[in-house]
């Protein structure tokens, strides 16, 4: 019989909601992670050869997000779907791509065949930072609100801490879509929306003590169906130089011994609230989830909404799990379900693991992003050791009411639903 002490669809979680501007932060626990098991319901197939054609031979493509409305649904503009991707020149070595990343875009009539359109931000509008990292793009009243990470302090030299600085930023533009394609004009200035404050979210400086640098990135903006207000999720870390490994971080059930370094693994899912309905002014709230003593990075957090429940999604790497958990975790999509944004979430499938790379190639794909309806896009990192840098075949998840998921279909194309 299942061990009812270990989380999962066992009623352990109270499924209680808390005030959205309060200080309740849920936890992803060591005991839940210890329950991770790779099965054919969650483990992606190992590709023997490239399963897709590359989308463009001009740029590497990795983290990708579709143009959505505030309800997180993909929108069609004059019959076009639009995907935004981090891109870097394909002449660069693939692992170097992060340091020159720029947001590019693709358009498609059917969501399957993609045409590369180049960079999103025009030369004449100057984004803060040295490079652009992941975010989201929302169409509101005919204008696209581009949320992204301004990465690297202006002028910072390679090798200095400031080279890794991250701020949440945005710009907006009008969209022109017609028979010939899609373009943007009427650009706003770029604006920094939030910086790590050291009180709710760890600063770059506080993180320098630990083995992995902080994250303050990947803004995802949406309207919360519960209260009708606009919020932003993002990847953060718990404040201070290190954290305490509390009982709520260890959880109930067996888990491996806590290594002294575990206190530096402090990933969280951050929340900010729009000020007065504004799309360009946000205030930081307490994180909604932390993985203190569990994992350093809960990347690209995003949400979908179904039947009054919030499905909270994030991605993580094997190497960012705390020591003694690294052998259990993998590069994976993690998910939770709860009754509201700030609540006592239940990890999907007991452990939180929803999709994992095959153990034979833990870096085959990454940056899974769940669209409403359970369609998941991601990018191929490498196939049999050859860098791919293009979107991976889309996966359809079956999401069951009892907090269980399984891989229902793997399409033969990168497919934005
Ligand atoms: C995930 C990620 C994001 C970040 C981007 C940088 O693949 O680490 O968190 O925005 O890549 O390239």
């Amino acid at each position: 019989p299942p061990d009812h002490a270990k989380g999962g669809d066992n009623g352990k979680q109270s499924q209680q909601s808390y005030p959205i501007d309060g200080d309740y932060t849920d936890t992803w626990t060591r005991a839940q992670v210890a329950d991770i098991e790779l099965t054919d319901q969650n483990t992606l197939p190992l590709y023997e050869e490239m399963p897709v054609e590359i989308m463009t031979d001009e740029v590497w493509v990795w983290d990708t997000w579709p143009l959505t409305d505030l309800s997180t649904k993909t929108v069609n503009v004059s019959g076009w779907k639009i995907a935004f991707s981090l891109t870097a020149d394909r002449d660069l070595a693939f692992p170097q791509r992060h340091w020159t990343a720029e947001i590019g875009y693709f358009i498609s009539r059917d969501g399957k065949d993609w045409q590369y359109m180049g960079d999103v931000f025009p030369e004449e509008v100057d984004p803060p930072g040295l490079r652009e990292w992941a975010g989201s793009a929302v169409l509101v009243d005919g204008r696209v609100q581009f949320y992204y990470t301004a990465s690297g302090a202006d002028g910072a030299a390679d090798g200095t801490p400031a080279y890794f600085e991250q701020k949440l930023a945005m710009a907006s533009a009008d969209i022109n879509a017609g028979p010939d394609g899609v373009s943007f004009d009427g650009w706003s200035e770029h604006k920094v929306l939030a910086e790590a404050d050291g009180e709710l979210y760890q600063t770059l400086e506080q993180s320098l003590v630990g083995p992995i640098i902080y994250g303050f990135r990947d803004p995802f903006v949406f309207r919360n169906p519960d209260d009708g207000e606009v919020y932003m999720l993002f990847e953060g870390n718990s404040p201070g130089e290190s954290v305490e490994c509390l009982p709520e971080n260890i959880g109930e059930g067996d888990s491996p011994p806590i290594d002294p370094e575990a206190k530096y693994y402090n990933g969280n899912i951050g929340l900010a609230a729009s000020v007065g309905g504004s799309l360009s002014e946000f205030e930081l709230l307490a994180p909604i989830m932390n993985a203190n003593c569990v994992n350093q990075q809960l990347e690209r957090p995003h949400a979908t909404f179904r039947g009054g429940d919030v499905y909270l999604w994030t991605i993580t790497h094997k190497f960012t799990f705390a020591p003694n958990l690294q052998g259990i975790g993998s590069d994976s999509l993690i998910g939770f379900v709860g009754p509201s944004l700030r609540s006592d979430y239940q990890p999907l499938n007991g452990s939180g693991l929803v999709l994992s790379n095959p153990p034979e190639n833990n870096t085959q794909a990454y940056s899974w992003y769940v669209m409403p309806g359970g369609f998941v896009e991601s990018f191929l990192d490498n196939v049999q050791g050859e860098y791919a840098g293009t979107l991976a075949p889309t996966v359809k998840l079956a999401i069951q009411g009892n907090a269980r998921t399984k891989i229902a279909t793997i399409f033969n194309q990168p497919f934005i639903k």
Side-chain angles (χ1 to χ4, degrees):
D3 179 348
H4 285 279
K6 284 192 176 173
D9 54 347
N10 57 21
K12 181 181 82 73
Q13 269 67 34
S14 68
Q15 293 273 296
Q16 193 180 328
S17 287
Y18 295 86
I20 198 139
D21 55 356
D23 62 1
Y24 174 81
T25 299
D26 198 16
T27 52
W28 186 31
T29 71
R30 293 174 65 89
Q32 289 160 354
V33 168
D35 267 357
I36 285 179
E37 218 185 310
L38 300 192
T39 67
D40 56 5
Q41 316 239 302
N42 61 29
T43 306
L44 292 159
L46 179 71
Y47 291 122
E48 306 287 344
E49 51 188 59
M50 268 294 276
V52 292
E53 274 177 46
I54 57 169
M55 295 160 78
T56 164
D57 52 20
E58 284 180 62
V59 287
W60 298 115
V61 170
W62 67 108
D63 297 14
T64 295
W65 54 97
L67 179 63
T68 68
D69 59 20
L70 278 171
S71 75
T72 84
K73 292 199 182 81
T74 305
V75 294
N76 271 21
V77 186
S78 304
W80 295 105
K81 285 194 165 125
I82 305 160
F84 300 96
S85 301
L86 297 188
T87 61
D89 202 315
R90 252 185 128 88
D91 292 339
L92 280 168
F94 188 63
Q96 292 307 315
R97 69 191 185 282
H98 302 289
W99 314 115
T100 61
E102 285 183 289
I103 300 171
Y105 70 111
F106 292 82
I107 60 173
S108 172
R109 288 278 183 206
D110 59 4
K112 295 175 182 162
D113 296 306
W114 294 95
Q115 192 182 333
Y116 175 54
M117 302 295 288
D119 294 341
V120 169
F121 299 140
E123 296 279 315
E124 62 276 13
V125 219
D126 196 20
L130 301 175
R131 58 191 92 88
E132 299 141 24
W133 284 359
S136 56
V138 191
L139 182 65
V140 184
D141 299 334
R143 256 182 103 73
V144 181
Q145 313 288 324
F146 295 94
Y147 300 97
Y148 68 96
T149 312
S151 167
D154 284 317
D158 190 357
T160 62
Y163 199 64
F164 301 96
E165 189 188 74
Q166 297 149 56
K167 295 176 183 175
L168 309 181
M170 78 163 308
S172 66
D174 295 322
I175 183 166
N176 307 302
D180 299 334
V182 174
S183 62
F184 305 100
D185 64 12
W187 282 94
S188 71
E189 289 193 350
H190 287 250
K191 182 179 177 198
V192 170
L193 297 174
E195 299 184 42
D197 61 347
E199 300 285 326
L200 292 168
Y201 297 96
Q202 188 180 44
T203 59
L204 168 69
E205 203 172 34
Q206 290 172 334
S207 80
L208 295 177
V209 192
I212 308 178
I213 204 133
Y214 85 143
F216 194 77
R217 59 180 184 257
D218 304 351
F220 174 83
V221 172
F222 61 98
R223 190 187 298 286
N224 177 15
D226 254 5
D227 60 8
E229 303 292 334
V230 173
Y231 293 92
M232 180 190 282
L233 296 174
F234 59 90
E235 171 189 347
N237 288 94
S238 301
E241 292 187 342
S242 64
V243 292
E244 258 186 276
C245 302
L246 300 169
E248 70 208 51
N249 303 115
I250 297 163
E252 288 170 42
D254 296 337
S255 59
I258 299 174
D259 184 276
E261 294 263 298
K263 64 182 180 202
Y264 297 123
Y265 291 75
N266 60 351
N268 71 27
I269 296 180
L271 186 68
S274 147
V275 177
S278 166
L279 294 168
S280 58
E281 214 184 314
F282 287 81
E283 89 182 292
L284 293 177
L285 300 177
I288 56 170
M289 170 83 64
N290 79 52
N292 290 352
C293 304
V294 172
N295 197 304
Q296 166 74 8
Q297 292 187 340
L298 303 182
E299 302 194 281
R300 294 196 67 195
H302 56 288
T304 56
F305 302 90
R306 198 182 72 174
D309 286 328
V310 181
Y311 286 84
L312 180 63
W313 311 99
T314 184
I315 53 168
T316 199
H317 288 294
K318 187 180 179 77
F319 77 91
T320 59
F321 279 95
N324 299 345
L325 295 175
Q326 277 174 17
I328 303 170
S330 58
D331 279 29
S332 46
L333 171 71
I334 305 296
F336 305 88
V337 59
S340 70
L341 264 182
R342 190 177 299 283
S343 66
D344 184 9
Y345 283 91
Q346 185 164 359
L348 295 173
N349 307 314
S351 66
L353 183 75
V354 173
L355 287 178
S356 170
N357 271 321
E360 302 87 344
N361 184 3
N362 180 55
T363 57
Q364 182 172 272
Y366 195 59
S367 226
W368 296 275
Y369 174 97
V370 184
M371 297 170 271
F375 294 89
V376 191
E377 52 92 357
S378 62
F379 77 92
L380 284 171
D381 177 312
N382 79 84
V383 174
Q384 299 291 337
E386 291 262 333
Y387 290 121
T390 196
L391 287 188
T394 290
V395 176
K396 167 87 168 77
L397 283 177
I399 305 172
Q400 284 134 11
N402 57 357
R404 297 267 146 194
T405 64
K406 64 178 182 203
I407 297 172
T409 313
I410 299 177
F411 294 94
N412 54 12
Q413 267 171 312
F415 167 34
I416 299 275
K417 178 71 179 166

